[in-house]
């Protein structure tokens, strides 16, 4: 009986870890990030619009003019073709305060496996669709223009929110030299993104200082 109890407890724990947010398949749903969970897969809460003209601006996108052109991101595309703009949108809220978490694309669970995106611009809008922040990253974006300058080879941006606050996120992806891989968009606590070897170095380094 005790063995069955422990197995049942383990299964409940794993299920809770695997489903941190409120599950809703609607493109306009809000993903509620549990601040106690370190890794969040946002694919099912992301929609995409392909702009072959490369002329549409963030003001036009935020106005809702092209809302009916967005489609579910999940399973739609794996590669962003060159010279074509891809717009992604999603809404994120948080159960608790989140500060400077990473918002990034990942091909697999290993954080060091980077995604090849030439240029990525991110706009964060409030509940009234006013732009409150603009960030940049990408393989061909000069380091001086990147929001996150540490480890510039990693395409990532920051996401912060207070408990209960909802932010609308719009991402513009553009490549010039070959297709870029677009995989699962993830929200991560930075501590979950540090490779084990680097994490050990930080721990032992801190011990040396003390």
């Amino acid at each position: 009986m005790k063995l069955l109890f422990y197995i049942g407890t383990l299964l409940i724990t794993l299920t809770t870890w695997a489903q941190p947010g409120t599950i809703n398949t609607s493109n306009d749903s809000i993903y509620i990030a549990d601040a106690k969970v370190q890794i969040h897969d946002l694919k099912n809460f992301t929609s995409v619009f392909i702009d072959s003209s490369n002329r549409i601006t963030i003001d036009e996108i935020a106005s809702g003019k092209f809302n009916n052109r967005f489609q579910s991101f999940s399973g739609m595309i794996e590669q962003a073709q060159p010279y074509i703009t891809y717009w992604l949108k999603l809404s994120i809220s948080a159960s608790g305060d989140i500060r400077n978490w990473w918002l990034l694309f990942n091909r697999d669970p290993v954080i060091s496996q980077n995604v090849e995106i030439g240029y990525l611009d991110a706009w964060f809008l409030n509940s009234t669709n006013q732009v409150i922040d603009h960030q940049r990253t990408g393989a061909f974006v000069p380091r001086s223009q990147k929001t996150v300058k540490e480890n510039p080879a990693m395409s990532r941006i920051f996401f912060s929110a207070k408990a209960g606050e909802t932010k609308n996120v719009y991402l513009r992806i553009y490549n010039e030299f070959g297709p870029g891989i677009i995989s699962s968009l993830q929200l991560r606590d930075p501590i979950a993104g540090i490779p084990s070897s680097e994490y050990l170095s930080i721990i032992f380094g801190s011990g040396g200082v003390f």
Side-chain angles (χ1 to χ4, degrees):
M1 290 296 292
K2 287 184 177 181
L3 179 60
L4 290 175
F5 173 78
Y6 290 134
I7 293 175
T9 302
L10 178 60
L11 289 175
I12 292 173
T13 302
L14 291 175
T15 302
T16 302
W17 176 265
Q19 299 174 344
T22 302
I23 297 177
N24 189 327
T25 57
S26 170
N27 290 341
D28 296 324
S29 60
I30 298 174
Y31 182 84
I32 302 176
D34 185 344
K36 298 179 181 178
V37 176
Q38 294 180 324
I39 301 175
H40 302 263
D41 189 345
L42 305 174
K43 180 184 292 185
N44 293 332
F45 295 83
T46 305
S47 53
V48 60
F49 163 52
I50 301 175
D51 169 27
S52 56
S53 72
N54 300 317
R55 295 179 179 178
I56 297 175
T57 66
I58 179 58
D59 291 334
E60 292 177 295
I61 292 290
S63 71
K65 179 180 179 180
F66 297 96
N67 278 356
N68 62 342
R69 304 280 295 275
F70 280 86
Q71 302 179 36
S72 174
F73 173 81
S74 181
M76 179 181 174
I77 54 174
E78 293 184 355
Q79 289 189 335
Q81 297 301 319
Y83 307 108
I84 295 178
T85 299
Y86 292 78
W87 286 94
L88 275 63
K89 73 169 184 173
L90 69 159
S91 297
I92 306 175
S93 184
S95 64
D97 291 353
I98 290 177
R99 181 171 176 78
N100 289 342
W101 279 30
W102 294 348
L103 193 61
L104 75 166
F105 292 95
N106 229 27
R107 281 185 283 182
D108 56 44
V110 181
I111 193 68
S112 59
Q113 189 70 38
N114 300 326
V115 175
E116 300 167 2
I117 294 178
Y119 302 89
L120 189 150
D121 284 86
W123 288 270
F124 297 87
L125 284 66
N126 58 19
S127 57
T128 60
N129 267 359
Q130 293 178 322
V131 176
I132 56 178
D133 189 20
H134 173 220
Q135 300 184 36
R136 296 201 77 196
T137 187
F140 299 107
V141 174
R143 183 173 181 176
S144 61
Q145 297 181 18
K146 290 187 177 183
T147 301
V148 186
K149 295 179 173 56
E150 295 79 17
N151 193 0
M154 185 183 297
S155 295
R156 53 187 167 143
I157 53 179
F158 285 136
F159 178 84
S160 300
K162 296 180 180 178
E165 179 184 13
T166 299
K167 289 187 176 180
N168 300 317
V169 184
Y170 290 92
L171 306 175
R172 183 178 66 188
I173 296 171
Y174 183 79
N175 291 310
E176 291 181 347
F177 306 101
I181 298 172
I182 300 181
S183 185
S184 177
L185 182 63
Q186 292 185 342
L187 177 66
R188 285 176 173 253
D189 183 341
I191 197 68
I194 300 176
S196 57
S197 58
E198 185 176 339
Y199 184 65
L200 289 175
S201 299
I202 292 174
I203 293 176
F204 288 117
S206 299
V209 171
F210 283 110

